[in-house]
Amino acid sequence: MVHATTIVTPARFVQGLSYSDFLAQATINHDKFNESYQSVPLTEGDLAFFRKAAALPQGPKKILALAEAWCGDVYRELPTVARIAEATSADLRIFLRDQNPDIMDEFLSNNGKSRAIPVFAFYTADLQQITHFTERSASAHAGLMSAMDEVRAQLKLPETATFGTLVDPERTAFLREVIARIQPHSTQWRKDAIAEIRESLATAVGIPNAS
Amino acid sequence: MPAETGTASPIVYTIRGCDACMKLLRKWDAEQVIYEERRVELSQTVLDEARRLGQLVPIVVWPDGRVEQGFGDTIGCFI
């Protein structure tokens, strides 16, 4: 949802951390951020698209990210956006979710119930919000649901079983099997996140989703 | 996975921004459970320790060595 009034004013925006400052303040997961940064699955075509979008008068020149270094979705996806910002000379500003609840409130998901991160909000030079992306790709969400269905069948659990309704040892087995199924898809889901951001930006700024 | 705590109290690995972790701590505080909290978001050493035990916080290590991951109907946070 794009708020008619927003607390993300120019003065507030510049208070966000740069990517290097974000990493400097993080006490954990430097190896994970570095690994993700080195393996960002952006293609030359992706970069050409983002540069083309950024060059438009109302294209994305500023990117706001809500993040925390302990979050797996953050260390997988934030380096991608850092690379996009570098390639397009966009101003990326990162806000720690738990220190900025007022900004987080503008980007709640799951019908206003979830404070899911990362959030990447794209803005014009004069800070008009263009679009935003939250947490992970739709394919990753669907893949997680599908993995849970498969594991329920494998472990002969009721269709209604959820992590929360199970008790050990089934609970632990359920978790182990679900994780084993989703881990191999990590790189593809990162690519899918890029595709979703491209599609969303292309629609919002009115250009073809092509390189 | 056995993981003796060496104490009579459970050890709980948490992230303070994790809803499931906070629900568990609130429950234990209300029940006056004595526990040792180890916050994984503050230390790579503690995070590595937690990863050897599981993949989802909260992770509870009971005095008898039993390890439980997650809490209640909230899946928790992957680490």
Side-chain angles (χ1 to χ4, degrees):
Chain A
M1 182 197 304
V2 178
H3 289 240
T5 58
T6 172
I7 47 95
V8 185
T9 61
R12 183 71 180 275
F13 182 81
V14 297
Q15 291 174 13
L17 300 166
S18 66
Y19 186 59
S20 59
D21 286 344
F22 171 80
L23 292 178
Q25 63 78 45
T27 52
I28 56 171
N29 284 329
H30 287 265
D31 56 338
K32 300 283 187 185
F33 280 101
N34 186 49
E35 186 184 314
S36 293
Y37 187 83
Q38 297 302 328
S39 63
V40 164
L42 282 162
T43 65
E44 283 305 314
D46 292 327
L47 292 173
F49 168 82
F50 287 115
R51 288 192 188 103
K52 187 189 294 181
L56 296 169
Q58 291 301 303
K61 306 284 199 306
K62 298 177 192 287
I63 307 171
L64 178 151
L66 281 158
E68 290 286 349
W70 47 259
C71 174
D73 288 307
V74 169
Y75 62 66
R76 276 186 291 275
E77 302 296 353
L78 181 59
T80 297
V81 172
R83 289 273 199 175
I84 292 170
E86 287 167 17
T88 62
S89 300
D91 188 3
L92 170 63
R93 297 291 177 150
I94 303 164
F95 292 82
L96 300 180
R97 182 193 72 172
D98 297 337
Q99 292 179 15
N100 294 277
D102 52 349
I103 298 179
M104 185 69 248
D105 282 348
E106 293 196 6
F107 298 100
L108 297 175
S109 53
N110 191 21
N111 295 319
K113 290 183 286 190
S114 297
R115 300 181 300 142
I117 48 175
V119 170
F120 305 123
F122 295 81
Y123 294 86
T124 60
D126 59 352
L127 219 51
Q128 300 300 306
Q129 193 188 137
I130 300 170
T131 188
H132 76 276
F133 173 89
T134 300
E135 195 176 19
R136 58 178 82 112
S137 65
S139 61
H141 281 291
L144 178 60
M145 294 300 116
S146 170
M148 290 197 289
D149 286 341
E150 288 175 24
V151 174
R152 283 187 199 99
Q154 180 196 329
L155 300 180
K156 298 183 170 40
L157 300 171
E159 287 181 11
T160 54
T162 66
F163 183 75
T165 62
L166 295 171
V167 292
D168 278 329
E170 286 175 330
R171 184 180 172 101
T172 296
F174 184 73
L175 179 64
R176 183 183 62 241
E177 293 297 324
V178 168
I179 289 172
R181 278 169 172 74
I182 62 177
Q183 275 179 337
H185 302 288
S186 173
T187 300
Q188 183 57 51
W189 290 345
R190 291 174 71 197
K191 291 178 182 174
D192 293 344
I194 294 167
E196 275 185 32
I197 293 171
R198 275 185 64 159
E199 183 61 34
S200 178
L201 273 175
T203 302
V205 300
I207 60 172
N209 183 8
S211 305
Chain B
M1 181 188 304
E4 297 291 334
T5 66
T7 71
S9 305
I11 293 169
V12 58
Y13 292 85
T14 65
I15 292 171
R16 284 297 183 96
C18 163
D19 289 342
C21 297
M22 297 314 294
K23 279 184 189 173
L24 175 61
L25 294 188
R26 279 195 295 271
K27 177 177 183 289
W28 279 2
D29 287 342
E31 295 170 352
Q32 297 186 309
V33 172
I34 296 170
Y35 58 88
E36 178 186 334
E37 183 186 12
R38 296 185 184 173
R39 294 177 58 180
V40 306
E41 80 274 31
L42 299 182
S43 158
Q44 187 67 47
T45 303
V46 175
L47 174 57
D48 292 341
E49 205 176 289
R51 282 186 175 139
R52 285 193 288 274
L53 296 164
Q55 292 168 294
L56 191 70
V57 290
I59 297 172
V60 178
V61 184
W62 294 98
D64 65 3
R66 279 179 302 119
V67 175
E68 292 177 356
Q69 300 182 60
F71 175 67
D73 58 0
T74 312
I75 197 164
C77 295
F78 288 102
I79 55 174

